[in-house]
Amino acid sequence: MAFVTARILVADDDPKHAQLIRLYLEKEGHQVITVGDGRSALDVARARKPDLVVLDVMMPLVDGLDVCRILRAESPVAILMVTARSSENDMLLGLDIGADDYMPKPVSPRELTARVRALLRRTGAADGPSSILRVGDLEVDAGRFEVRVRGEAVTLTAKEFGILELLAREPGRVFTRGQIIDKTFGFEHDVSARTVDAHVVNLRRKIEDNPAEPRYVQTVYGRGYRMAEK
């Protein structure tokens, strides 16, 4: 049974692969739109406002990395990148430009649908309204998937939001990188401490006045991260 019904855009220039992903996602109850090139992916994403994008890196007209950069600048839509490039550096590049998750090919359709469920939960699509978490001038609205600093909206990726929400729910508590992986990344395999650090670096760039001296997301050396108590 599907955990949440969502509108999903699948961008892949391999028609057979795109159709396979579509069939599995539709069995979960999702509405799925498929396109075969990066330019169409941008056009459809802007017009249809999907809840999640499954994005192949190697596509004609506009490659997946550029599509990811553009979409991330325009909205907080969840982005799952799928690619034959499977090195750690490739994965970190994808995360750095705004992807929420990264799967190497060949893709297991069952694993992909499970990752989609996890991303939709973290973006709040499966949740009802919840209280706003406040730490100083920082506001985290889990129900609306919104973050504001001194009243100004900040756009985060799903993973960045998940880490921030986790820390903001218990200010002062230190979470190890392992705990962050367990609570934010769930079942996902091969997530390293370095991956968590990369997300935290990107998060600080967006919410901190001075990322080198963070006010909100603080490092506890030798242990992990915590949210400031005030």
Side-chain angles (χ1 to χ4, degrees):
M1 179 180 295
F3 286 85
V4 61
T5 299
R7 183 184 294 114
I8 298 175
L9 171 61
V10 176
D12 194 321
D13 66 341
D14 182 340
K16 291 183 179 180
H17 190 251
Q19 181 65 10
L20 180 63
I21 292 174
R22 178 175 189 159
L23 289 173
Y24 272 80
L25 291 175
E26 286 180 340
K27 285 181 181 179
E28 294 273 298
H30 302 302
Q31 177 186 350
V32 182
I33 309 161
T34 60
V35 296
D37 64 80
R39 185 174 298 165
S40 297
L42 289 171
D43 291 343
V44 171
R46 288 164 174 162
R48 301 294 298 274
K49 307 295 184 185
D51 300 299
L52 183 143
V53 179
V54 178
L55 184 61
D56 188 21
V57 171
M58 305 294 287
M59 288 193 298
L61 301 184
V62 182
D63 73 26
L65 294 176
D66 285 335
V67 172
C68 182
R69 288 189 187 97
I70 294 168
L71 289 181
R72 180 54 64 233
E74 295 178 352
S75 80
V77 62
I79 299 173
L80 169 58
M81 299 200 79
V82 177
T83 178
R85 300 173 180 174
S86 58
S87 74
E88 184 179 36
N89 286 337
D90 290 325
M91 181 191 70
L92 292 174
L93 174 61
L95 296 174
D96 192 51
I97 64 174
D100 298 292
D101 201 355
Y102 192 104
M103 289 187 69
K105 289 184 176 180
V107 168
S108 159
R110 293 181 63 190
E111 181 179 355
L112 184 141
T113 55
R115 290 190 183 218
V116 165
R117 286 197 299 268
L119 278 176
L120 291 172
R121 285 196 298 268
R122 285 197 292 272
T123 57
D127 299 330
S130 63
S131 61
I132 296 176
L133 308 171
R134 292 185 175 89
V135 179
D137 294 328
L138 174 69
E139 296 183 356
V140 181
D141 189 333
R144 294 177 178 270
F145 190 66
E146 293 177 352
V147 174
R148 291 175 290 275
V149 179
R150 291 185 294 277
E152 295 292 325
V154 178
T155 300
L156 302 182
T157 68
K159 291 283 177 59
E160 292 162 2
F161 188 91
I163 293 171
L164 183 62
E165 181 189 0
L166 174 67
L167 301 179
R169 287 196 179 279
E170 298 186 64
R173 175 182 170 181
V174 179
F175 287 87
T176 66
R177 290 168 178 81
Q179 289 172 324
I180 292 172
I181 290 170
D182 289 342
K183 294 178 181 295
T184 305
F185 293 78
F187 68 93
E188 297 174 28
H189 305 295
D190 301 324
V191 179
S192 67
R194 188 180 173 194
T195 304
V196 174
D197 293 341
H199 282 298
V200 170
V201 167
N202 292 333
L203 174 60
R204 284 172 169 165
R205 288 173 182 162
K206 297 176 180 180
I207 68 170
E208 303 283 0
D209 292 331
N210 182 1
E213 297 180 4
R215 174 185 175 189
Y216 300 113
V217 179
Q218 301 173 343
T219 301
V220 180
Y221 292 98
R223 296 188 64 192
Y225 296 101
R226 71 181 173 197
M227 175 64 68
E229 295 190 75
K230 295 183 180 180

Short mmCIF file of all heavy atoms in Angstrom, two decimals, residues 52-105:
data_model
loop_
_atom_site.label_atom_id
_atom_site.label_comp_id
_atom_site.label_asym_id
_atom_site.label_seq_id
_atom_site.Cartn_x
_atom_site.Cartn_y
_atom_site.Cartn_z
N LEU A 52 7.94 15.59 -6.42
CA LEU A 52 9.25 14.95 -6.44
C LEU A 52 9.67 14.74 -7.89
O LEU A 52 8.83 14.48 -8.75
CB LEU A 52 9.21 13.62 -5.69
CG LEU A 52 10.52 12.83 -5.54
CD1 LEU A 52 10.57 12.16 -4.17
CD2 LEU A 52 10.65 11.77 -6.64
N VAL A 53 10.98 14.85 -8.15
CA VAL A 53 11.53 14.62 -9.48
C VAL A 53 12.56 13.50 -9.42
O VAL A 53 13.48 13.54 -8.59
CB VAL A 53 12.20 15.89 -10.04
CG1 VAL A 53 12.79 15.61 -11.43
CG2 VAL A 53 11.20 17.05 -10.12
N VAL A 54 12.38 12.46 -10.25
CA VAL A 54 13.39 11.42 -10.44
C VAL A 54 14.17 11.84 -11.69
O VAL A 54 13.62 11.89 -12.79
CB VAL A 54 12.76 10.04 -10.63
CG1 VAL A 54 13.86 9.00 -10.87
CG2 VAL A 54 11.92 9.66 -9.41
N LEU A 55 15.45 12.14 -11.52
CA LEU A 55 16.20 12.85 -12.55
C LEU A 55 17.45 12.09 -12.97
O LEU A 55 18.35 11.85 -12.17
CB LEU A 55 16.59 14.23 -11.99
CG LEU A 55 17.32 15.21 -12.89
CD1 LEU A 55 16.47 15.58 -14.09
CD2 LEU A 55 17.67 16.46 -12.09
N ASP A 56 17.50 11.70 -14.25
CA ASP A 56 18.69 11.07 -14.80
C ASP A 56 19.73 12.15 -15.09
O ASP A 56 19.39 13.27 -15.48
CB ASP A 56 18.33 10.33 -16.09
CG ASP A 56 19.48 9.49 -16.63
OD1 ASP A 56 20.39 9.16 -15.85
OD2 ASP A 56 19.47 9.17 -17.82
N VAL A 57 21.00 11.84 -14.89
CA VAL A 57 22.05 12.83 -15.12
C VAL A 57 22.32 13.00 -16.61
O VAL A 57 22.42 14.12 -17.13
CB VAL A 57 23.35 12.44 -14.38
CG1 VAL A 57 24.50 13.34 -14.81
CG2 VAL A 57 23.14 12.54 -12.88
N MET A 58 22.47 11.90 -17.34
CA MET A 58 22.86 11.95 -18.76
C MET A 58 21.62 12.09 -19.63
O MET A 58 20.98 11.11 -19.99
CB MET A 58 23.63 10.68 -19.12
CG MET A 58 24.84 10.42 -18.23
SD MET A 58 26.13 11.66 -18.42
CE MET A 58 26.77 11.17 -20.03
N MET A 59 21.28 13.34 -19.98
CA MET A 59 20.11 13.60 -20.82
C MET A 59 20.46 14.62 -21.90
O MET A 59 21.34 15.47 -21.70
CB MET A 59 18.95 14.13 -19.99
CG MET A 59 18.30 13.10 -19.10
SD MET A 59 16.72 13.71 -18.44
CE MET A 59 17.28 15.12 -17.49
N PRO A 60 19.77 14.56 -23.04
CA PRO A 60 20.03 15.53 -24.11
C PRO A 60 19.45 16.92 -23.81
O PRO A 60 18.63 17.07 -22.90
CB PRO A 60 19.32 14.91 -25.32
CG PRO A 60 18.26 14.05 -24.73
CD PRO A 60 18.81 13.53 -23.44
N LEU A 61 19.90 17.91 -24.56
CA LEU A 61 19.46 19.30 -24.52
C LEU A 61 19.95 20.02 -23.26
O LEU A 61 20.67 21.01 -23.34
CB LEU A 61 17.95 19.42 -24.66
CG LEU A 61 17.35 18.83 -25.95
CD1 LEU A 61 15.85 19.10 -26.03
CD2 LEU A 61 18.05 19.40 -27.17
N VAL A 62 19.53 19.55 -22.10
CA VAL A 62 20.04 20.08 -20.83
C VAL A 62 20.32 18.88 -19.94
O VAL A 62 19.43 18.04 -19.75
CB VAL A 62 19.02 21.01 -20.14
CG1 VAL A 62 19.60 21.58 -18.85
CG2 VAL A 62 18.58 22.14 -21.07
N ASP A 63 21.56 18.76 -19.44
CA ASP A 63 21.86 17.56 -18.64
C ASP A 63 21.23 17.66 -17.25
O ASP A 63 20.79 18.73 -16.80
CB ASP A 63 23.35 17.27 -18.58
CG ASP A 63 24.14 18.22 -17.70
OD1 ASP A 63 23.57 18.81 -16.76
OD2 ASP A 63 25.35 18.38 -17.94
N GLY A 64 21.18 16.51 -16.58
CA GLY A 64 20.50 16.44 -15.30
C GLY A 64 21.09 17.32 -14.22
O GLY A 64 20.37 17.84 -13.36
N LEU A 65 22.41 17.51 -14.24
CA LEU A 65 23.03 18.37 -13.23
C LEU A 65 22.55 19.81 -13.37
O LEU A 65 22.24 20.47 -12.38
CB LEU A 65 24.56 18.29 -13.35
CG LEU A 65 25.18 16.94 -13.01
CD1 LEU A 65 26.69 16.97 -13.27
CD2 LEU A 65 24.90 16.54 -11.56
N ASP A 66 22.47 20.29 -14.61
CA ASP A 66 21.98 21.65 -14.82
C ASP A 66 20.50 21.76 -14.48
O ASP A 66 20.06 22.77 -13.92
CB ASP A 66 22.23 22.08 -16.27
CG ASP A 66 23.68 22.41 -16.54
OD1 ASP A 66 24.39 22.77 -15.58
OD2 ASP A 66 24.12 22.30 -17.70
N VAL A 67 19.73 20.73 -14.82
CA VAL A 67 18.31 20.74 -14.44
C VAL A 67 18.18 20.82 -12.92
O VAL A 67 17.36 21.59 -12.40
CB VAL A 67 17.60 19.48 -14.97
CG1 VAL A 67 16.18 19.38 -14.41
CG2 VAL A 67 17.56 19.49 -16.49
N CYS A 68 18.99 20.05 -12.21
CA CYS A 68 18.94 20.05 -10.75
C CYS A 68 19.27 21.44 -10.20
O CYS A 68 18.57 21.95 -9.32
CB CYS A 68 19.92 19.02 -10.20
SG CYS A 68 19.91 18.88 -8.39
N ARG A 69 20.33 22.06 -10.72
CA ARG A 69 20.71 23.40 -10.26
C ARG A 69 19.58 24.40 -10.46
O ARG A 69 19.26 25.20 -9.56
CB ARG A 69 21.94 23.89 -11.02
CG ARG A 69 23.25 23.22 -10.68
CD ARG A 69 24.41 23.94 -11.34
NE ARG A 69 25.66 23.22 -11.15
CZ ARG A 69 26.18 22.39 -12.05
NH1 ARG A 69 25.55 22.17 -13.20
NH2 ARG A 69 27.32 21.78 -11.80
N ILE A 70 18.96 24.36 -11.62
CA ILE A 70 17.90 25.32 -11.94
C ILE A 70 16.66 25.09 -11.08
O ILE A 70 16.09 26.03 -10.51
CB ILE A 70 17.55 25.23 -13.44
CG1 ILE A 70 18.74 25.69 -14.28
CG2 ILE A 70 16.32 26.08 -13.75
CD1 ILE A 70 18.61 25.36 -15.77
N LEU A 71 16.24 23.82 -10.96
CA LEU A 71 15.07 23.53 -10.15
C LEU A 71 15.30 23.90 -8.68
O LEU A 71 14.40 24.43 -8.02
CB LEU A 71 14.70 22.05 -10.25
CG LEU A 71 14.12 21.57 -11.58
CD1 LEU A 71 13.81 20.09 -11.52
CD2 LEU A 71 12.87 22.36 -11.94
N ARG A 72 16.51 23.61 -8.19
CA ARG A 72 16.76 23.91 -6.79
C ARG A 72 16.74 25.42 -6.52
O ARG A 72 16.32 25.87 -5.45
CB ARG A 72 18.12 23.32 -6.37
CG ARG A 72 18.50 23.58 -4.93
CD ARG A 72 17.43 23.12 -3.94
NE ARG A 72 17.24 21.69 -3.98
CZ ARG A 72 16.07 21.08 -4.14
NH1 ARG A 72 14.98 21.79 -4.29
NH2 ARG A 72 15.98 19.77 -4.17
N ALA A 73 17.16 26.21 -7.50
CA ALA A 73 17.11 27.67 -7.33
C ALA A 73 15.68 28.19 -7.34
O ALA A 73 15.41 29.27 -6.80
CB ALA A 73 17.92 28.34 -8.44
N GLU A 74 14.77 27.43 -7.93
CA GLU A 74 13.40 27.89 -8.10
C GLU A 74 12.42 27.35 -7.07
O GLU A 74 11.38 27.96 -6.82
CB GLU A 74 12.89 27.52 -9.50
CG GLU A 74 13.65 28.21 -10.62
CD GLU A 74 13.18 27.81 -12.00
OE1 GLU A 74 12.35 26.86 -12.10
OE2 GLU A 74 13.62 28.42 -12.97
N SER A 75 12.72 26.18 -6.46
CA SER A 75 11.75 25.57 -5.56
C SER A 75 12.41 24.54 -4.65
O SER A 75 13.53 24.10 -4.92
CB SER A 75 10.64 24.87 -6.37
OG SER A 75 11.07 23.61 -6.82
N PRO A 76 11.70 24.12 -3.58
CA PRO A 76 12.23 23.09 -2.68
C PRO A 76 11.83 21.68 -3.08
O PRO A 76 11.90 20.76 -2.26
CB PRO A 76 11.59 23.47 -1.34
CG PRO A 76 10.27 24.02 -1.71
CD PRO A 76 10.48 24.76 -3.03
N VAL A 77 11.39 21.46 -4.34
CA VAL A 77 10.94 20.14 -4.77
C VAL A 77 12.01 19.09 -4.46
O VAL A 77 13.21 19.33 -4.61
CB VAL A 77 10.62 20.14 -6.28
CG1 VAL A 77 11.84 20.46 -7.12
CG2 VAL A 77 10.00 18.81 -6.70
N ALA A 78 11.57 17.92 -4.00
CA ALA A 78 12.49 16.83 -3.71
C ALA A 78 13.06 16.29 -5.02
O ALA A 78 12.33 16.09 -5.99
CB ALA A 78 11.78 15.72 -2.95
N ILE A 79 14.38 16.04 -5.05
CA ILE A 79 15.05 15.58 -6.27
C ILE A 79 15.85 14.32 -5.96
O ILE A 79 16.73 14.32 -5.10
CB ILE A 79 15.98 16.66 -6.84
CG1 ILE A 79 15.18 17.92 -7.20
CG2 ILE A 79 16.73 16.12 -8.06
CD1 ILE A 79 16.06 19.09 -7.63
N LEU A 80 15.52 13.25 -6.68
CA LEU A 80 16.25 11.98 -6.59
C LEU A 80 17.01 11.79 -7.90
O LEU A 80 16.38 11.61 -8.95
CB LEU A 80 15.29 10.83 -6.34
CG LEU A 80 15.84 9.40 -6.46
CD1 LEU A 80 17.00 9.18 -5.50
CD2 LEU A 80 14.74 8.38 -6.21
N MET A 81 18.33 11.84 -7.86
CA MET A 81 19.13 11.70 -9.07
C MET A 81 19.47 10.23 -9.31
O MET A 81 19.78 9.49 -8.37
CB MET A 81 20.41 12.53 -8.99
CG MET A 81 20.15 14.01 -8.84
SD MET A 81 21.56 15.06 -9.29
CE MET A 81 21.41 15.01 -11.08
N VAL A 82 19.39 9.82 -10.57
CA VAL A 82 19.70 8.45 -10.97
C VAL A 82 20.75 8.53 -12.07
O VAL A 82 20.56 9.22 -13.07
CB VAL A 82 18.44 7.73 -11.49
CG1 VAL A 82 18.80 6.33 -11.96
CG2 VAL A 82 17.38 7.67 -10.41
N THR A 83 21.87 7.83 -11.89
CA THR A 83 22.95 7.98 -12.86
C THR A 83 23.89 6.79 -12.87
O THR A 83 24.00 6.06 -11.89
CB THR A 83 23.77 9.26 -12.56
OG1 THR A 83 24.84 9.37 -13.49
CG2 THR A 83 24.32 9.23 -11.16
N ALA A 84 24.58 6.62 -14.00
CA ALA A 84 25.61 5.59 -14.11
C ALA A 84 26.89 6.02 -13.42
O ALA A 84 27.79 5.21 -13.20
CB ALA A 84 25.90 5.28 -15.58
N ARG A 85 27.01 7.29 -13.09
CA ARG A 85 28.18 7.79 -12.38
C ARG A 85 28.00 7.49 -10.89
O ARG A 85 27.14 8.05 -10.24
CB ARG A 85 28.32 9.30 -12.57
CG ARG A 85 28.48 9.72 -14.02
CD ARG A 85 28.45 11.23 -14.14
NE ARG A 85 28.60 11.68 -15.51
CZ ARG A 85 28.49 12.95 -15.89
NH1 ARG A 85 28.22 13.89 -15.00
NH2 ARG A 85 28.65 13.28 -17.16
N SER A 86 28.83 6.61 -10.36
CA SER A 86 28.58 6.10 -9.00
C SER A 86 29.71 6.36 -8.02
O SER A 86 29.71 5.82 -6.92
CB SER A 86 28.29 4.59 -9.06
OG SER A 86 29.38 3.91 -9.65
N SER A 87 30.71 7.18 -8.40
CA SER A 87 31.79 7.45 -7.45
C SER A 87 31.31 8.38 -6.35
O SER A 87 30.31 9.09 -6.49
CB SER A 87 32.99 8.09 -8.17
OG SER A 87 32.70 9.43 -8.50
N GLU A 88 32.03 8.40 -5.23
CA GLU A 88 31.66 9.27 -4.12
C GLU A 88 31.71 10.74 -4.53
O GLU A 88 30.85 11.53 -4.14
CB GLU A 88 32.58 9.04 -2.91
CG GLU A 88 32.15 9.86 -1.69
CD GLU A 88 33.04 9.62 -0.48
OE1 GLU A 88 34.26 9.44 -0.67
OE2 GLU A 88 32.52 9.63 0.63
N ASN A 89 32.70 11.12 -5.34
CA ASN A 89 32.79 12.51 -5.78
C ASN A 89 31.57 12.91 -6.61
O ASN A 89 31.06 14.02 -6.49
CB ASN A 89 34.07 12.74 -6.57
CG ASN A 89 35.30 12.78 -5.68
OD1 ASN A 89 35.21 13.05 -4.49
ND2 ASN A 89 36.46 12.51 -6.26
N ASP A 90 31.11 12.00 -7.48
CA ASP A 90 29.91 12.28 -8.26
C ASP A 90 28.70 12.45 -7.35
O ASP A 90 27.87 13.34 -7.55
CB ASP A 90 29.65 11.16 -9.26
CG ASP A 90 30.67 11.12 -10.38
OD1 ASP A 90 31.13 12.20 -10.78
OD2 ASP A 90 31.02 10.02 -10.85
N MET A 91 28.58 11.58 -6.34
CA MET A 91 27.47 11.67 -5.42
C MET A 91 27.50 13.00 -4.66
O MET A 91 26.48 13.69 -4.53
CB MET A 91 27.52 10.52 -4.41
CG MET A 91 26.36 10.55 -3.42
SD MET A 91 26.58 9.39 -2.05
CE MET A 91 27.92 10.20 -1.15
N LEU A 92 28.67 13.38 -4.17
CA LEU A 92 28.79 14.62 -3.42
C LEU A 92 28.51 15.84 -4.30
O LEU A 92 27.94 16.83 -3.83
CB LEU A 92 30.17 14.73 -2.77
CG LEU A 92 30.43 13.71 -1.66
CD1 LEU A 92 31.87 13.80 -1.18
CD2 LEU A 92 29.47 13.90 -0.49
N LEU A 93 28.90 15.77 -5.57
CA LEU A 93 28.58 16.86 -6.49
C LEU A 93 27.07 16.99 -6.63
O LEU A 93 26.52 18.10 -6.58
CB LEU A 93 29.22 16.61 -7.86
CG LEU A 93 28.83 17.60 -8.97
CD1 LEU A 93 29.25 19.02 -8.59
CD2 LEU A 93 29.45 17.19 -10.30
N GLY A 94 26.39 15.87 -6.81
CA GLY A 94 24.94 15.90 -6.93
C GLY A 94 24.29 16.50 -5.69
O GLY A 94 23.38 17.32 -5.78
N LEU A 95 24.77 16.09 -4.52
CA LEU A 95 24.23 16.63 -3.27
C LEU A 95 24.53 18.12 -3.13
O LEU A 95 23.71 18.90 -2.66
CB LEU A 95 24.80 15.86 -2.07
CG LEU A 95 24.43 14.39 -1.97
CD1 LEU A 95 25.18 13.73 -0.82
CD2 LEU A 95 22.93 14.20 -1.81
N ASP A 96 25.72 18.52 -3.55
CA ASP A 96 26.14 19.90 -3.39
C ASP A 96 25.30 20.85 -4.24
O ASP A 96 25.08 21.99 -3.85
CB ASP A 96 27.62 20.05 -3.76
CG ASP A 96 28.18 21.40 -3.34
OD1 ASP A 96 28.01 21.76 -2.16
OD2 ASP A 96 28.77 22.09 -4.18
N ILE A 97 24.84 20.39 -5.40
CA ILE A 97 24.05 21.27 -6.25
C ILE A 97 22.57 21.21 -5.92
O ILE A 97 21.77 21.89 -6.56
CB ILE A 97 24.27 20.97 -7.74
CG1 ILE A 97 23.78 19.56 -8.09
CG2 ILE A 97 25.71 21.18 -8.14
CD1 ILE A 97 23.83 19.27 -9.57
N GLY A 98 22.19 20.38 -4.94
CA GLY A 98 20.81 20.43 -4.47
C GLY A 98 20.02 19.15 -4.51
O GLY A 98 18.85 19.13 -4.11
N ALA A 99 20.59 18.04 -4.99
CA ALA A 99 19.85 16.77 -4.97
C ALA A 99 19.65 16.30 -3.54
O ALA A 99 20.49 16.53 -2.67
CB ALA A 99 20.60 15.72 -5.77
N ASP A 100 18.52 15.64 -3.30
CA ASP A 100 18.22 15.12 -1.97
C ASP A 100 18.68 13.69 -1.79
O ASP A 100 18.94 13.25 -0.67
CB ASP A 100 16.71 15.18 -1.71
CG ASP A 100 16.20 16.61 -1.74
OD1 ASP A 100 16.55 17.37 -0.83
OD2 ASP A 100 15.47 16.97 -2.68
N ASP A 101 18.80 12.97 -2.89
CA ASP A 101 19.24 11.58 -2.83
C ASP A 101 19.86 11.23 -4.17
O ASP A 101 19.65 11.94 -5.17
CB ASP A 101 18.06 10.66 -2.52
CG ASP A 101 18.50 9.32 -1.94
OD1 ASP A 101 19.72 9.08 -1.87
OD2 ASP A 101 17.63 8.52 -1.57
N TYR A 102 20.62 10.13 -4.20
CA TYR A 102 21.44 9.80 -5.37
C TYR A 102 21.51 8.29 -5.48
O TYR A 102 21.94 7.63 -4.53
CB TYR A 102 22.82 10.41 -5.14
CG TYR A 102 23.74 10.43 -6.34
CD1 TYR A 102 23.98 11.60 -7.03
CD2 TYR A 102 24.42 9.28 -6.75
CE1 TYR A 102 24.86 11.64 -8.10
CE2 TYR A 102 25.29 9.30 -7.83
CZ TYR A 102 25.51 10.49 -8.50
OH TYR A 102 26.38 10.54 -9.56
N MET A 103 21.06 7.74 -6.59
CA MET A 103 21.09 6.30 -6.80
C MET A 103 21.90 5.95 -8.04
O MET A 103 21.66 6.51 -9.12
CB MET A 103 19.67 5.74 -6.96
CG MET A 103 18.84 5.74 -5.71
SD MET A 103 17.26 4.86 -5.98
CE MET A 103 17.83 3.16 -6.16
N PRO A 104 22.85 5.02 -7.93
CA PRO A 104 23.59 4.58 -9.12
C PRO A 104 22.78 3.56 -9.92
O PRO A 104 21.97 2.82 -9.38
CB PRO A 104 24.85 3.94 -8.52
CG PRO A 104 24.41 3.44 -7.18
CD PRO A 104 23.38 4.42 -6.69
N LYS A 105 23.01 3.54 -11.23
CA LYS A 105 22.43 2.50 -12.08
C LYS A 105 23.30 1.26 -12.03
O LYS A 105 24.50 1.37 -11.80
CB LYS A 105 22.33 3.01 -13.51
CG LYS A 105 21.27 4.08 -13.73
CD LYS A 105 21.18 4.46 -15.21
CE LYS A 105 20.07 5.45 -15.46
NZ LYS A 105 19.98 5.83 -16.88
#
